[in-house]
Amino acid sequence: MLGAVFLIIILFLFTQGLFNSLSKKHAFFSKKLMNQLFGYHLFFFGVYYAYAFFNNSDSHAYFMRPQRTDWSWMDFYGTSTTFIDFISYPFINFLGFNYEMMMALFAWMGYLGFVYAYLFFRENIPIKITVFKKFDLLTLILFFPNMHFWTASLGKGAPIFLGLMLFAYAIKNTKSRIITLILGSILIYYIRPHVFMFVAVGTVLGYMSGKEKISFWKKAFIYIAMIGGLVLVQDTILGMAGLEGSEDLVEGFEDFSGDRSASLGTSGSGVSMASYPLPLKFFTFWFRPLFFDAPGILGLITSVENLMYLLLFFKILKKDFITFIKNSTVVVKMSLVVFLLSSFAMTFVMSNLGIIMRQKSMVMYFAFFVIYYYLAQKKYDKILRLKKLKHIMGMELEKENSVIL
């Protein structure tokens, strides 16, 4: 454990250097908030470590596999679970990291995901929003406990979340953030190829329909990069569902989703989603477990968070939300498409509340971004109307004064 403590100190110092760099690029950057978030995420590293000590955790398998003596480092090169082993291999076998150190390293990756989520939100939405009467919405989003729990351990959760937030941050200015964009894309594709497909489709649709005036060359670069990337990796993406070479992709996906749903629904926290109508599938994926079906203490804590998700969702159930989406920016439309496509795919294969709690942490931030942007846009429009009204009233007052004089 001493090794993990030493590593955490080293990573904290490195993070301060990163903060100095980001502060120079973004005037809004708050080191204080990010350091508070560091301590908060570190707490959940401890919580997950204790959880893994008393419960079955994939983190143990992720630590043991790279130690196979009959495999070399390049034998682990591949997608999905294998890529996590590929990342872990040099730290375990060359640098001698123990289990606690690997947990700390991946927890730090998850923390960086929150740093770039903060940048993604604040750069695109400078207006502060208060919800539930007194809570700053961005701070609330950044400190949701379920998000930290599933990104504070050795496994897929931390690096895929980092990859998604790197990509989301970079898409605002691809020219100056090309390395960040490539790194985010690599992490997404190699860890979850199907999520890379959702992100690519969302990005292309966002650039096609966003309200900004974007140069032809920038659009061409995005289209070629995203569509070309999908063409190159289509076999890998289809292979994740055993659909490579399939003559009927729809039927193949239905068979895969049915088998996958059945296998995941056999545990104590399983839910029979196969017969649910689509709206109920979405509700289950986004907002369950709630208090009535929470699996254990972790489920009860998650239920409180899910209730907040539900209350935030109610805020966009307005007539003007559709108009807002039609007139929204690239990043808003990209976020909405990524969230909906991911939700649609996962609702057909998820039927275990424990796995749902973990899997949705990847994409919920895209939903939060859309909700936050919508509320900020409404506040901004209200401010403009008040300014216009004050201007008109000021002009009327000047006219009255000139008549009196």
Side-chain angles (χ1 to χ4, degrees), residues 91-335:
F91 294 99
I92 296 173
N93 295 292
F94 301 156
L95 299 179
F97 277 29
N98 58 27
Y99 172 72
E100 289 79 11
M101 294 175 74
M102 290 303 300
M103 288 282 282
L105 177 65
F106 272 71
W108 179 70
M109 291 182 192
Y111 166 70
L112 289 183
F114 288 98
V115 173
Y116 281 94
Y118 166 71
L119 292 171
F120 172 50
F121 277 72
R122 281 288 280 120
E123 184 179 39
N124 289 283
I125 316 172
I127 298 175
K128 289 188 177 182
I129 296 295
T130 301
V131 293
F132 310 134
K133 295 185 178 181
K134 63 178 180 179
F135 294 103
D136 176 69
L137 180 54
L138 180 55
T139 303
L140 183 67
I141 290 170
L142 290 174
F143 284 83
F144 275 140
N146 189 57
M147 298 295 179
H148 287 269
F149 183 81
W150 295 114
T151 56
S153 66
L154 173 57
K156 295 177 184 176
I160 185 64
F161 180 62
L162 173 60
L164 287 166
M165 293 302 103
L166 286 171
F167 186 96
Y169 167 69
I171 207 68
K172 173 80 173 182
N173 193 344
T174 54
K175 184 177 180 180
S176 62
R177 300 171 188 170
I178 187 65
I179 295 177
T180 304
L181 183 68
I182 292 173
L183 178 59
S185 299
I186 289 173
L187 287 174
I188 298 168
Y189 166 69
Y190 276 100
I191 298 172
R192 296 199 184 278
H194 57 290
V195 176
F196 176 77
M197 178 182 70
F198 304 148
V199 169
V201 172
T203 303
V204 170
L205 291 179
Y207 269 87
M208 287 175 63
S209 58
K211 71 175 184 179
E212 302 99 325
K213 292 183 179 180
I214 301 172
S215 67
F216 169 79
W217 294 111
K218 186 174 183 179
K219 283 189 175 182
F221 170 77
I222 291 295
Y223 295 164
I224 293 171
M226 294 295 101
I227 296 175
L230 283 176
V231 172
L232 290 174
V233 302
Q234 60 177 331
D235 290 340
T236 302
I237 294 172
L238 293 174
M240 294 294 295
L243 299 178
E244 67 274 27
S246 175
E247 296 181 0
D248 190 337
L249 293 180
V250 175
E251 182 179 351
F253 176 75
E254 289 177 348
D255 293 340
F256 167 76
S257 61
D259 294 342
R260 180 67 170 166
S261 179
S263 66
L264 292 176
T266 56
S267 70
S269 60
V271 288
S272 180
M273 288 176 61
S275 59
Y276 285 5
L278 186 59
L280 190 53
K281 286 178 184 282
F282 280 142
F283 182 89
T284 300
F285 181 70
W286 295 340
F287 307 122
R288 289 176 67 187
L290 288 170
F291 301 98
F292 63 88
D293 60 0
I297 295 178
L298 179 60
L300 287 173
I301 296 172
T302 304
S303 294
V304 176
E305 188 171 325
N306 283 338
L307 178 60
M308 292 186 181
Y309 296 176
L310 189 57
L311 294 175
L312 288 174
F313 178 76
F314 284 150
K315 291 183 178 296
I316 64 172
L317 296 180
K318 306 289 176 63
K319 293 180 179 179
D320 62 348
F321 180 72
I322 300 300
T323 303
F324 161 76
I325 291 298
K326 288 180 179 179
N327 300 324
S328 61
T329 62
V330 168
V331 287
V332 171
K333 290 182 176 178
M334 179 198 77
S335 298

Side-chain angles (χ1 to χ4, degrees), residues 4-25:
V5 173
F6 179 74
L7 178 62
I8 289 170
I9 294 173
I10 296 297
L11 293 175
F12 177 76
L13 294 175
F14 179 84
T15 303
Q16 300 310 302
L18 175 64
F19 288 172
N20 290 334
S21 175
L22 292 174
S23 296
K24 294 177 181 178
K25 296 178 181 178

Side-chain angles (χ1 to χ4, degrees), residues 57-73 75-76 79-90 92-93 99 102 106 154-156:
S57 170
D58 292 341
S59 60
H60 297 293
Y62 279 116
F63 179 68
M64 295 303 298
R65 274 194 304 268
Q67 300 181 58
R68 289 184 55 172
T69 56
D70 57 331
W71 281 41
S72 67
W73 186 10
D75 288 331
F76 289 100
T79 58
S80 193
T81 300
T82 306
F83 187 68
I84 303 302
D85 300 334
F86 177 78
I87 295 175
S88 302
Y89 188 96
I92 296 173
N93 295 292
Y99 172 72
M102 290 303 300
F106 272 71
L154 173 57
K156 295 177 184 176

